[in-house]
Amino acid sequence: MSQAVGLFCIAADAVHGPQVAYDGIPLVGRDLPELESDTIAYAEARAVHFRYTPEGYAAPDDPGIVLRGQLVGQVLRSRPLFMVTRDGAHTEWDSMPFEEYGVDGLATA
C-alpha cells in the first residue's frame, strides 16, 4: 500500500477466499483448465473477449482483474487479484504486488 495514494490491489486466496464471481463465473479456488473452459464458453456465448493469465489459461477480460495461479497441494488453483490504477500505477500490472513477480510467479498455500 502506498501512503500517498492508498490501496492498489486486493488478492483473494485460492483456499480461504473470499469467494467472488465474474458475471456468474466463480473465480476463486478453481482448477485453472476448468476455469478456462468456462471463460471461453462465456466469451463465445456473449461475443466478448477473454485474455490469458500469466500461467497461460483463459480468464475474463476485465481491466482491474488478473487471475493468477496458486499451488494448493499439487493442484494449480485460481486466485484473482483486483487492482485499480492510480498515480504511480498506470496499469493493473503496475498495481500488482512485488511478491506476484516471484521466481516461479506462483503463490503457494
Side-chain angles (χ1 to χ4, degrees), residues 16-99:
H16 304 289
Q19 293 299 316
V20 292
Y22 179 84
D23 202 15
I25 301 172
L27 297 179
V28 179
R30 302 277 310 274
D31 177 67
L32 284 176
E34 179 184 288
L35 177 57
E36 178 178 42
S37 295
D38 289 351
T39 298
I40 292 170
Y42 172 89
E44 289 174 346
R46 290 167 179 76
V48 297
H49 295 98
F50 58 89
R51 64 173 144 172
Y52 282 91
T53 68
E55 290 79 28
Y57 296 96
D61 184 23
D62 189 304
I65 301 175
V66 172
L67 263 289
R68 298 301 317 261
Q70 178 178 335
L71 283 174
V72 178
Q74 298 296 316
V75 180
L76 193 59
R77 299 286 181 185
S78 60
R79 177 174 168 268
L81 282 72
F82 301 93
M83 292 162 282
V84 295
T85 57
R86 296 182 183 221
D87 291 340
H90 306 290
T91 71
E92 60 215 17
W93 298 103
D94 296 332
S95 299
M96 192 177 291
F98 176 76
E99 294 80 11

